[in-house]
Amino acid sequence: MSSSLEFVTIFTLLVASYLLSVVHCGNFYDDVEIQWGGGHGKIFDNGKLLSLSLDKYSGSGFQSKSKYLFGRLDIQMKLVPGNSAGTVTTFYLSSDGPATDPNHDEIDFEFLGNLTGEPYTLHTNVFANGKGDKEMQFHLWFDPTKNFHTYSILWNPQHIIFLVDNIPIRDFKNHDSMGVPFPKTQPMRLYSSIWDAEEWATRGGLIKTDWSKAPFTAYYQNFNVDACVWYSTSGISSCASKNSMDSMASKNAWFFEEMDNASYRRMRWVQRKYMIYNYCSDVKRYPRGRPRECRLR
Ligand SMILES: *[C@@H]1O[C@H](CO)[C@@H](O)[C@H](O)[C@H]1NC(C)=O
Ligand SMILES: *[C@@H]1O[C@H](CO)[C@@H](O)[C@H](O)[C@H]1NC(C)=O
């Protein structure tokens, strides 16, 4: 009840001011910049392909030129093959400032490498108002190093949906009205990186990075953004325009997207078969009862 009331409020605000999103398709030169790594990150094929590498000296990373306040972001990735133990490849949205910022918001996909033939772990998390601790981890139903697969974040005022090859694997709902923070006021940028996390990534740090296999390289293509772009100078979003609500709804299905029963069933399938960790069922961690959002539907 209160959640739908809140939705109405957000909805009204948005209808009043934000009406058109910006769609960008797939040229890395236009949409991102290599942010760090001294030559370990590269864009090639006229902007169609990007690679990030890690060796003993450095990892690398890129970030989107724009910031977004809600959107659907898709990227295809091919992860480091062979012995990738100790490496972490990421794709995430983050608000400005350090992760220790009390208002920090973040939506994470992280791929933890593994020994040859052992499965990667896909780690997901959501930070809102500086609070994370909402980890869910999965194995994948395919080998993510053989081909490109699509990883997507759908972030609208009511849901954060994580998708793999268009199959939802996680739906973090807006339960703000029940006192569970949800990222919805700060614009975020997309970041991606590869770095060495041998201290914790593979079986809690037991398996170290094998530097004789470096450089470790992950590839990216077909970056697609359908989002409300934030203009920092004016503090407004590209979704501010005079189009009608119908146009918003028809052009921007992602903005109002909810999971239908079929998507919900597919998500349940993934969670039953491939989820290896869910903070909501970690009774050791929460002996005095599970976090509130875990008890809400
Ligand atoms: C690595 O493989 C082991 C054995 O299959 C598995 O238990 C673990 O979850 C995998 N991932 C990481 C990051 O260790
Ligand atoms: C989804 O499933 C529920 C419960 O099984 C049902 O009541 C509802 O009508 C279904 N919705 C749609 C859109 O099919």
Coordinates of all heavy atoms in Angstrom, one line a residue, residues 38 43 81 97 116 149 215 264:
G38 N 47.2 2.5 -17.5 CA 48.4 2.7 -18.3 C 48.6 1.8 -19.5 O 49.6 1.1 -19.6
I43 N 40.7 0.2 -26.8 CA 39.5 0.2 -27.7 C 40.0 -0.1 -29.1 O 40.9 0.5 -29.5 CB 38.8 1.5 -27.6 CG1 38.3 1.8 -26.2 CG2 37.6 1.6 -28.6 CD1 37.6 3.1 -25.9
P81 N 39.9 -16.5 -20.0 CA 39.8 -18.0 -20.0 C 41.0 -18.7 -19.2 O 41.9 -18.0 -18.7 CB 40.0 -18.3 -21.5 CG 40.9 -17.2 -22.0 CD 40.6 -16.0 -21.1
G97 N 32.1 9.6 -5.7 CA 32.7 9.6 -4.4 C 33.1 8.2 -4.0 O 32.7 7.2 -4.7
T116 N 41.4 -23.4 -14.0 CA 41.0 -23.9 -15.3 C 39.9 -25.0 -15.1 O 40.1 -25.9 -14.3 CB 42.2 -24.5 -16.0 OG1 43.2 -23.5 -16.1 CG2 41.8 -25.0 -17.4
H149 N 28.6 -13.1 -23.8 CA 27.3 -13.2 -23.2 C 26.9 -11.9 -22.7 O 27.7 -11.0 -22.4 CB 27.2 -14.3 -22.1 CG 27.4 -15.7 -22.5 ND1 26.3 -16.5 -22.9 CD2 28.5 -16.4 -22.8 CE1 26.7 -17.6 -23.3 NE2 28.1 -17.6 -23.3
P215 N 49.3 -11.7 -19.5 CA 48.2 -10.9 -19.0 C 46.9 -11.6 -19.1 O 46.6 -12.5 -20.0 CB 48.2 -9.7 -20.0 CG 48.8 -10.3 -21.3 CD 49.8 -11.3 -20.8
Y264 N 9.4 -14.3 -13.9 CA 9.6 -14.7 -12.5 C 9.9 -16.1 -12.4 O 10.8 -16.5 -11.6 CB 8.3 -14.3 -11.7 CG 8.4 -14.3 -10.3 CD1 9.0 -13.3 -9.6 CD2 8.0 -15.5 -9.5 CE1 9.2 -13.3 -8.2 CE2 8.2 -15.5 -8.1 CZ 8.8 -14.4 -7.5 OH 8.9 -14.4 -6.2

